[in-house]
Amino acid sequence: MPKNLVHLFILVVLFTSCNRAEQSENKQPNILFIMSDDHAYQAISAYGHQLNHTPNIDRLASEGAIFKRAYVTNSICAPSRAVMLTGKHSFVNGKVDNMQPFDWEQDNFAKQLQKAGYTTAMIGKIHLHGLPQGFDYSNVLPGQGQYYNPDFIENGVKKQYHGYCTTITTELALDWLQNKRQKDKPFLLLYHQKAPHRSWMPELKYFELFDDKEFAPPANFYDDFKGRRAAATHEMGIREHMDLAYDLKMFDKEGELGGHLRQSAGWVTNRMDSVQRAQWDDYYDPIIEDFKQHKMEGEELALWKYNRYIKDYLRCIQSVDDGVGEVLDYLKAAGLEENTIVVYTSDQGFYLGEHGWFDKRFMYEESFRTPLLVRYPKEIKAGTTVNKLVQNLDFAPTFLDYAGVTVSDDIQGESFRKLVTGDDSNWRDAIYYTYYEYPAEHHVKRHYGICTERYKLIHFYYDIDEWELYDLHNDPGEMNNVYDQADYTDVQQMMHVKLEELRKQYGDSDELNQMHLDRYLQKRQVRK
């Protein structure tokens, strides 16, 4: 070959290589969005509470970023997921509680990513009725779903799978990644687990995990709710309201145990086959008999119930962590790790004995806060910690931002992409919260409020008119309502101003609250 042709060939090869490298560098990132249900941040070992060990979820913190002040806008399952999809508050997207329908016709970030060339899938729990829109493939649980041998709805067709729900969800996610996605396109996968939602049914292999451990309850487990009238009317106490049969699996064959949910307890195990049920009985029957013999009451019974609850809850999380590990390992083996944004979060936080509670709903910290860990090697430095106030409102604009898609003006969240790279100069200084589902299970009164880095202001309304103010620096357990204390007069006034500013910014009002209340009461009446 003549020398000039050799030089030309080399230039063509170099140009082509550089062009390919540039294309690779500018390639839209894949997005793996992992969400569990009711997973408290206290139950992820990266957050330092030492309840359990979640090595695979922790990998996202060590290899990416951990958010210490991530929150939801409405701490209940379906509304939280609607906010996540739309980037809009509940009173804007219409899904204010678990009873109101969700309008799948409205825009969501998955639809936008589809238009931008992504192949998209939703697998696991979504808890929003109707065929998911914005997804080329969906395989979701109907409603809450079941832990054992669950039904799934694959692209609108229901069928039953044999096995444990958490494991099945992971297998379906891996199958889509390996066999069903269009591999010439970037992907969006919503991989959403049912666990650790009530009634906390562990996988068979984890029945004995934590049997050798006695958990001490949180310091405010015996909260007397002084100065907090709305909290005092709750029905989510581990001592008073946690059901022996439905929640703690004490549904003995003689019918001597149980509570007001005993008739629902059969739903816990009626999906099991004979082998699964035999293993279940082998583990729980001795516990039932021991409980019947000891006839506990008072503080002893409260601590026993707490330990039964927390152990089953944490066992469910262990299976979730296993699944995260399997999917992360697949990304690495397939060469997808570098260009994939991986997010782990929950639809809200959860009480693990704080204030003596289980469940969520209140604007108090443990249900208002949610875990959030994000890994993206191209942009996020390993070991990053973010302390700014972010919300589930921010997922939609963040994903669109990373994908290079214009964020529409009607999205109310903000992209936190710059936060993880250290540019937080113009970030928000306050976040807004609403809760509507009352009168209902657990008796958590309707309320809205605002939270800054240090303070929290809450207004409980409808059949009550109570204000609460907390200094989170001096009172992180939120035991002391300082709303009427003279030392906090200036803070109270400042927080009221901020509250009204945010209500105006997001478009909320007392008139909207009344409209949603009227609709809710009408639906309750129809159901009766």
Side-chain angles (χ1 to χ4, degrees):
M1 181 182 291
K3 185 179 291 187
N4 60 335
L5 291 180
V6 172
H7 290 160
L8 178 62
F9 176 78
I10 292 172
L11 286 172
V12 169
V13 170
L14 287 172
F15 175 82
T16 303
S17 299
C18 291
N19 191 46
R20 283 177 181 167
E22 184 177 343
Q23 287 176 349
S24 176
E25 186 68 26
N26 294 331
K27 184 181 178 183
Q28 289 170 301
N30 304 308
I31 300 169
L32 172 62
F33 185 36
I34 311 171
M35 177 181 280
S36 54
D37 195 300
D38 293 345
H39 190 171
Y41 64 87
Q42 310 95 289
I44 292 177
S45 44
Y47 281 94
H49 291 260
Q50 300 181 333
L51 281 174
N52 59 338
H53 183 45
T54 51
N56 296 301
I57 298 172
D58 289 0
R59 282 167 59 183
L60 300 176
S62 61
E63 299 169 6
I66 184 169
F67 289 68
K68 297 294 185 72
R69 301 295 299 276
Y71 294 89
V72 296
T73 58
N74 186 349
S75 183
I76 189 167
C77 297
S80 176
R81 293 164 190 273
V83 170
M84 171 270 294
L85 284 167
T86 64
K88 302 172 186 178
H89 274 280
S90 299
F91 48 84
V92 176
N93 69 51
K95 186 63 176 169
V96 297
D97 53 54
N98 278 339
M99 293 178 67
Q100 302 300 323
F102 177 67
D103 179 14
W104 277 106
E105 295 297 325
Q106 64 185 302
D107 205 5
N108 65 50
F109 74 84
K111 292 182 181 182
Q112 290 298 312
L113 292 180
Q114 267 188 326
K115 294 175 184 176
Y118 276 71
T119 181
T120 62
M122 174 186 287
I123 294 171
K125 183 173 181 179
I126 187 59
H127 203 194
L128 296 170
H129 183 72
L131 183 68
Q133 294 187 25
F135 302 93
D136 305 313
Y137 176 84
S138 63
N139 204 345
V140 299
L141 294 162
Q144 294 287 2
Q146 300 97 354
Y147 271 105
Y148 279 86
N149 306 329
D151 293 328
F152 277 78
I153 303 173
E154 184 178 25
N155 293 334
V157 179
K158 182 185 287 189
K159 60 181 179 179
Q160 186 175 6
Y161 291 79
H162 184 270
Y164 186 66
C165 186
T166 303
T167 303
I168 293 168
T169 304
T170 300
E171 290 170 348
L172 293 173
L174 287 169
D175 179 57
W176 184 82
L177 285 169
Q178 294 168 334
N179 305 313
K180 290 186 171 68
R181 67 183 170 93
Q182 294 176 260
K183 294 187 179 179
D184 59 340
K185 293 183 174 184
F187 69 77
L188 165 70
L189 172 58
L190 273 59
Y191 160 46
H192 289 187
Q193 293 285 12
K194 168 187 170 63
H197 192 278
R198 191 183 187 188
S199 58
W200 317 297
M201 294 178 66
E203 190 174 2
L204 298 174
K205 69 178 181 180
Y206 284 130
F207 275 177
E208 296 180 358
L209 183 66
F210 304 115
D211 270 357
D212 59 347
K213 184 173 182 178
E214 189 74 12
F215 288 89
N220 60 359
F221 184 70
Y222 298 107
D223 192 348
D224 63 3
F225 306 107
K226 181 179 179 181
R228 290 159 288 141
R229 190 157 68 97
T233 63
H234 73 89
E235 289 188 2
M236 48 195 278
I238 292 172
R239 284 188 296 172
E240 311 95 317
H241 307 113
M242 183 167 276
D243 196 82
L244 283 173
Y246 181 74
D247 293 319
L248 302 177
K249 295 77 174 180
M250 299 293 105
F251 36 94
D252 61 322
K253 298 172 180 64
E254 297 77 17
E256 298 172 6
L257 298 176
H260 67 288
L261 293 177
R262 182 175 177 84
Q263 296 303 314
S264 301
W267 184 81
V268 174
T269 55
N270 65 6
R271 303 286 297 196
M272 291 181 175
D273 63 28
S274 58
V275 174
Q276 294 165 338
R277 183 58 193 262
Q279 289 182 259
W280 179 278
D281 289 343
D282 284 346
Y283 180 73
Y284 282 101
D285 280 355
I287 298 172
I288 292 170
E289 291 308 311
D290 181 72
F291 176 78
K292 290 169 72 172
Q293 289 179 18
H294 279 78
K295 301 185 186 304
M296 291 176 281
E297 57 185 29
E299 184 174 315
E300 182 185 16
L301 177 60
L303 293 175
W304 180 89
K305 292 177 77 172
Y306 170 73
N307 267 270
R308 285 254 43 89
Y309 158 54
I310 198 69
K311 289 177 182 180
D312 279 347
Y313 178 90
L314 295 177
R315 290 163 180 156
C316 291
I317 288 171
Q318 212 62 42
S319 296
V320 173
D321 188 71
D322 289 345
V324 171
E326 289 182 51
V327 176
L328 294 182
D329 289 346
Y330 168 78
L331 294 178
K332 187 177 184 69
L336 296 168
E337 186 176 67
E338 188 71 15
N339 194 44
T340 301
I341 300 165
V342 182
V343 174
Y344 185 89
T345 190
S346 179
D347 53 353
Q348 62 258 321
F350 212 67
Y351 294 105
L352 303 183
E354 296 85 6
H355 306 285
W357 291 339
F358 65 99
D359 207 71
K360 57 256 184 180
R361 302 164 197 265
F362 279 108
M363 195 186 168
Y364 305 128
E365 205 71 359
E366 288 80 15
S367 64
F368 183 30
R369 268 183 69 183
T370 189
L372 177 57
L373 307 98
V374 183
R375 186 186 75 182
Y376 183 36
K378 282 188 175 181
E379 289 195 18
I380 302 176
K381 184 179 178 181
T384 296
T385 297
V386 179
N387 291 308
K388 293 294 183 179
L389 302 167
V390 301
Q391 287 189 284
N392 55 347
L393 198 69
D394 301 323
F395 288 128
T398 299
F399 295 148
L400 295 174
D401 185 5
Y402 275 116
V405 177
T406 300
V407 179
S408 60
D409 292 338
D410 60 339
I411 286 181
Q412 295 180 305
E414 301 177 48
S415 169
F416 54 70
R417 184 178 183 179
K418 289 185 177 180
L419 281 186
V420 291
T421 58
D423 183 5
D424 58 10
S425 56
N426 294 316
W427 195 250
R428 63 168 70 97
D429 64 356
I431 52 178
Y432 185 58
Y433 179 86
T434 56
Y435 177 78
Y436 301 91
E437 195 164 299
Y438 178 85
E441 184 180 13
H442 298 305
H443 281 235
V444 176
K445 295 186 181 297
R446 291 170 176 258
H447 59 290
Y448 59 86
I450 186 175
C451 182
T452 66
E453 179 185 345
R454 178 167 180 172
Y455 301 106
K456 187 182 295 182
L457 178 68
I458 310 172
H459 182 215
F460 292 93
Y461 66 95
Y462 171 47
D463 61 348
I464 191 174
D465 183 14
E466 298 278 336
W467 290 89
E468 296 180 1
L469 176 66
Y470 295 97
D471 183 338
L472 299 177
H473 285 192
N474 295 331
D475 179 28
E478 295 166 296
M479 300 289 285
N480 184 23
N481 175 17
V482 297
Y483 185 79
D484 291 320
Q485 292 187 15
D487 291 349
Y488 285 88
T489 299
D490 291 343
V491 173
Q492 182 205 106
Q493 293 175 352
M494 176 268 293
M495 291 294 284
H496 272 286
V497 170
K498 282 186 174 292
L499 175 64
E500 291 310 310
E501 288 175 350
L502 277 194
R503 295 191 87 195
K504 182 177 180 180
Q505 174 185 330
Y506 290 127
D508 198 14
S509 66
D510 292 341
E511 290 75 21
L512 269 180
N513 287 343
Q514 185 62 48
M515 181 190 74
H516 291 308
L517 173 60
D518 292 342
R519 289 179 178 175
Y520 180 77
L521 295 177
Q522 287 170 7
K523 274 196 167 289
R524 279 180 61 88
Q525 189 63 36
V526 169
R527 287 193 177 189
K528 289 179 180 179

